[in-house]
Amino acid sequence: MARSNAGKWVSRAAATGGGRTYRGNVPVNWYAALVVIAILGVFSVVFSNVEYRHSGAASTTLTPPTTKTTWYAGLAFDVCGTQAPSLPANDSGSSSTTKAFFTTGNGVVTIAPKTSSETGANAVFGKFVSGYHGLEVTATELKLPSTSGSVTYKNGQRCKKGTPDAGKTANVQAAYWPSAFTSKGKSTVVQGNPATIKFSANELITIGFVPTNTKLPKPNGTIVTALLQASQATTAPTAGTTAPTTGTTLPSSKS
């Protein structure tokens, strides 16, 4: 009879997966692991969905200027303390239909990207320089085209007689102002190659061949006025509408 009772006890233990001690214990760690895995799975799905949506939005957002943008910037060259005449219009055949960066000869550069390689961070002063025949601007050399032939200025040369900086050793320098139409904007002095200057709407740029530590002036009022006119023409209202007043006061040409 005792042997029969023992057999029943073994059968019950086998049916529950263990003895009396095991029957009373709950596998807490096992259930906890399942919960953690489930939570991580849900979090991964949600995070992936959010990342997908944000990356999709970012990929379709372009940094201006885009191929639908038209900006203008004022450009001047200061040689030994005197502002040089504005560059003539780009060569014949170079117009708004073929070039992304060009000038019509009034000291204003038009920025109108045609391809993605000319948009955003790629819209730099160097792109204008490379597309203008006879113009060269580097950290060590400035070459300006003129009707009598190009004139080249190299770092270490002395300014010629008759100029405000006559006799002084000069080198290529550059400065730019983020907008011509605000008196709050301070100039940024460019260290190195001016070709890296990023274009912005209504920006002013002065490239100089002047003595070290010279504070370059802004492009003169004639260029700023031409810049204002170009900007207003781009934003002119369509027929039948009233043009808003800009209330813009031209800032001083001093930096």
Side-chain angles (χ1 to χ4, degrees):
M1 188 68 178
R3 182 177 299 176
S4 177
N5 289 337
K8 291 180 180 180
W9 184 86
V10 172
S11 298
R12 290 174 182 173
T16 59
R20 293 177 180 176
T21 302
Y22 179 83
R23 188 190 311 174
N25 293 334
V26 177
V28 177
N29 292 339
W30 186 75
Y31 285 117
L34 288 179
V35 171
V36 171
I37 292 173
I39 292 175
L40 290 176
V42 172
F43 177 80
S44 298
V45 172
V46 173
F47 181 78
S48 298
N49 186 46
V50 171
E51 280 292 292
Y52 174 78
R53 293 188 178 186
H54 279 254
S55 61
S59 63
T60 59
T61 302
L62 299 177
T63 302
T66 68
T67 53
K68 297 181 180 180
T69 301
T70 300
W71 283 350
Y72 299 96
L75 173 64
F77 295 90
D78 186 296
V79 178
C80 294
T82 300
Q83 183 168 305
S86 296
L87 294 173
N90 284 41
D91 295 345
S92 58
S94 299
S95 66
S96 59
T97 60
T98 59
K99 281 190 174 294
F101 312 100
F102 63 95
T103 180
T104 56
N106 55 359
V108 176
V109 176
T110 299
I111 300 102
K114 307 300 180 186
T115 66
S116 59
S117 64
E118 298 161 337
T119 63
N122 296 315
V124 293
F125 178 64
K127 292 287 182 72
F128 168 74
V129 174
S130 63
Y132 194 102
H133 180 68
L135 175 64
E136 293 182 18
V137 183
T138 69
T140 60
E141 183 175 305
L142 170 62
K143 183 178 181 181
L144 293 175
S146 69
T147 54
S148 58
S150 298
V151 181
T152 301
Y153 305 92
K154 296 183 178 181
N155 286 1
Q157 291 180 346
R158 293 183 181 276
C159 291
K160 296 181 179 180
K161 293 181 179 180
T163 63
D165 296 323
K168 297 180 180 179
T169 300
N171 49 58
V172 178
Q173 299 179 47
Y176 65 91
W177 296 258
S179 176
F181 310 131
T182 175
S183 59
K184 296 180 180 180
K186 294 183 178 180
S187 64
T188 298
V189 178
V190 179
Q191 302 295 335
N193 194 344
T196 60
I197 296 175
K198 169 86 167 53
F199 280 124
S200 62
N202 302 320
E203 182 179 29
L204 291 177
I205 301 172
T206 296
I207 307 297
F209 181 74
V210 292
T212 302
N213 297 324
T214 295
K215 190 174 183 180
L216 290 170
K218 292 180 179 179
N220 62 29
T222 301
I223 292 177
V224 174
T225 299
L227 175 59
L228 175 61
Q229 292 172 341
S231 297
Q232 288 181 328
T234 299
T235 57
T238 56
T241 61
T242 303
T245 56
T246 60
T248 301
T249 301
L250 295 182
S252 168
S253 60
K254 296 179 180 180
S255 56

